[in-house]
Amino acid sequence: MTSSFDARHGDVASVENARAGSTGGRGRRVWAVVAAPALGALLGWICLRIDVFLAVWTLEQSLPVPEEALAVYATVGAVASSLLALINFWRPVAMRGLGAWTAWITGTAALLYIVPMLERLQYAAALRLGAGGGLAATGVGAAVCGLALLGLRRLAGRWDAAAAAFAAGAALGLAVNRNVASDPFAPISLALDLLLLVLIAALALLARPRRRWVALSFAAAAVAVLVLAVELLPPGGDRRETVELAGKAPPGASNLLLVVLDTLRADVFESVVSETAEGQAFAEHLGDAAWFRNGIAAAPWTAPSVGAILTGLYPVEHGFGVRSEDPSRPLQRLAEQVPTLATRLANRGWRTEAIVTNPLLHPSSGLDRGFAHYRLLEVATSKLPLLTVLERLGWREKEIYQGADRLVARAERRLPALVDDPRPFFLWLHFMDPHEPLRAHPQLPPDAAEENLGPNERLYRQETRFVLAEVATFFQRLRAAGAFDDTLIVVVADHGEMFRSDDRDTGVLHPTTGRMLRTGHGHALYDELVRVPLVVRPAGGLPRQRDVQAVVSHVDLHDTLFDLLGVDAPRIGRDRVSVADRIVGRPRPGETTDGRWAALLSGNQHGPPMRGLRSRADKLIRVDAPQRDPELYDLRRDPDERDNLAVRHQRLRRFDEHLEELWTAQTPSEEAVDGAAMELDSETRRKLEALGYIQ
């Protein structure tokens, strides 16, 4: 009965199963159990190379594969292979065919991909249906996988061909779903999944000689459509678009390089620049630039601050980072009606490119608007399936962003095309390194200042040294390419960071843990979070370094850059102040040494809404909560903001009136913010959760 069944279905293991009880068959199975780990480890290495290839193909960017990735894949492969060997040893008849070498290998590959498939399904379903829905989806997914294997076994007539088709489809499906249509339940994802089913069925049919021409036809058609879809759809982290040019750049127009250093507070930046070799290497390139001592962030966290840098609008106006009422889509994207710096420069003849590492700057944020080339550098953890599973289980440290060295390497590869283009370029580089999770850099020389710092602050300082050294490296490459003196360079941070040593009682509780927020960012308007580095070097440089004490907000950069570039573009105006003349040493008639009187602060991420006003000498903070009193600080006498003068100072009323005047003037109309929420794919959401941007 068994032999006739196996012969009828072409099972390659029929002979071994027929002899399952014989001494020779058992001996071969015992040997197979012993050899299983080595075979599985080899297969794990093969699967790792396949996953890396598929990620590079679908993302169109290289991935820094962690050193432990091979060990992870080899270990999982060895465990899966050993499991199949043990099952076949004890249940040779029930698991007919799994003892054959080909079925064994392909069965191991299938098991290796089933777990990350179910993990991805559970996470995506839990976001929509809650924890119970995620568990139910996992059970349904496991049943579907089993039925799929049985169905493929029926089509192929062989277990090895069925498992091979399943494994190939699973690997390809995970890559396409993660990197091209990253939401598993989106219509395009479901359409691509249907296409993959056709491809898998065709692969299974190839095992039947009489139907191979049909299978080849279906497989060829499915592959062609899939390749076309991957090529035409923008890969994850990238937006390819054609920007219609409405004009031509002025003759001899300068390039623009915007370097944003994420989470870098001004006092640590100034200390590293003055005390370390890395800081000095950075400063040497900007010795003929304007260094601002009162650069002020529009908000204490990335989304609203970067939105302000790129639009010249306050957070309440541009909308990016405003809290959404939809828990599945907690953050609003940049309002559709808001033009960006890239949009306006592209329409005037500039070539626009961006390379960013913060997952919050995903194209769904709307910040890719106007960029002909927009690249969010991905990490291997979120693109290699098994690493994602281990991270989800807490067995591997989360990897969120690529380091400055990787970003610089990517920018260097883009540099020849930028320099050789007859158009001037606008290049935005966003470095993430001073942001948690912080990493040690043992390759850096000793730094005496680190000896008196706590562990976290020591790592933060190392990250600052590392990122400044890498920025200096890119400056050197720009010089070697002959473009440094033709480029307007802006170095700015989006916000700062609060340390435990700052000893702040912020009065803000974490939304999930209920603990007081004393470190990090996004929850207060003190200077460690809103005073940021700002260095501007006009093309060709200044006669000498200029230290500027004027208060300059993120929102001032838009008009300032257009003035320095000589571009006739709409100015934001209102309370925005172009400091272009102050940078080049030609203050406008009647302009005071203070520049703008005070910068508006808002857009906090955690806690009740806050508003603030920061001048060179004073700061006012108001919290929209009944139990919170206003805070007024004399920054010249009390730079650490410890002595609250609000209850006894005559300047409170003056500051209050000015704050209300500015705040009322910036309240957007219905057209200013469309309220559209960011569409977060599951991988991006994981990263934003790990970074604390969303709960």
Side-chain angles (χ1 to χ4, degrees), residues 48-49 52 63-70 380 384 387 399 406:
L48 172 62
R49 302 323 306 171
V52 171
L63 283 179
V65 180
E67 295 180 358
E68 70 270 23
L70 177 57
L384 300 180
L387 298 187
E399 185 181 11
R406 292 281 180 174

Side-chain angles (χ1 to χ4, degrees), residues 296-353:
I296 304 300
W301 67 293
T302 297
S305 286
V306 173
I309 293 170
L310 291 182
T311 67
L313 301 177
Y314 286 111
V316 72
E317 297 173 306
H318 64 63
F320 180 35
V322 173
R323 295 177 240 196
S324 168
E325 297 299 324
D326 184 351
S328 67
R329 300 185 299 166
L331 298 177
Q332 285 186 196
R333 67 196 308 273
L334 190 71
E336 291 292 344
Q337 297 88 348
V338 173
T340 66
L341 187 62
T343 304
R344 287 177 166 154
L345 287 178
N347 288 335
R348 285 161 179 80
W350 267 257
R351 173 172 177 158
T352 54
E353 300 205 4

Side-chain angles (χ1 to χ4, degrees), residues 57-60 176 178-182 188 228-241 362-363 368 374-375:
W57 171 53
T58 51
L59 283 173
E60 299 181 0
V176 171
R178 286 167 178 264
N179 306 332
V180 180
S182 50
I188 186 62
L228 188 64
V230 171
E231 293 300 318
L232 292 180
L233 290 171
D238 186 30
R239 168 79 173 267
R240 290 171 291 183
E241 63 179 25
H362 190 275
D368 64 335
Y374 189 93
R375 183 72 70 187

Side-chain angles (χ1 to χ4, degrees), residues 54 140 260 419 479:
L54 290 173
V140 172
V260 179
V419 173
R479 284 187 186 275

Side-chain angles (χ1 to χ4, degrees), residues 164-245:
F166 182 90
L172 189 56
L174 282 168
V176 171
N177 267 270
R178 286 167 178 264
N179 306 332
V180 180
S182 50
D183 181 359
F185 299 110
I188 186 62
S189 294
L190 298 177
L192 290 175
D193 288 341
L194 183 61
L195 185 65
L196 282 170
L197 288 176
V198 174
L199 179 59
I200 294 170
L203 290 175
L205 280 173
L206 285 174
R208 291 184 179 273
R210 295 182 181 180
R211 300 181 182 178
R212 280 180 182 166
W213 68 272
V214 177
L216 284 172
S217 300
F218 276 104
V223 169
V225 174
L226 187 65
V227 170
L228 188 64
V230 171
E231 293 300 318
L232 292 180
L233 290 171
D238 186 30
R239 168 79 173 267
R240 290 171 291 183
E241 63 179 25
T242 301
V243 180
E244 184 179 352
L245 301 182

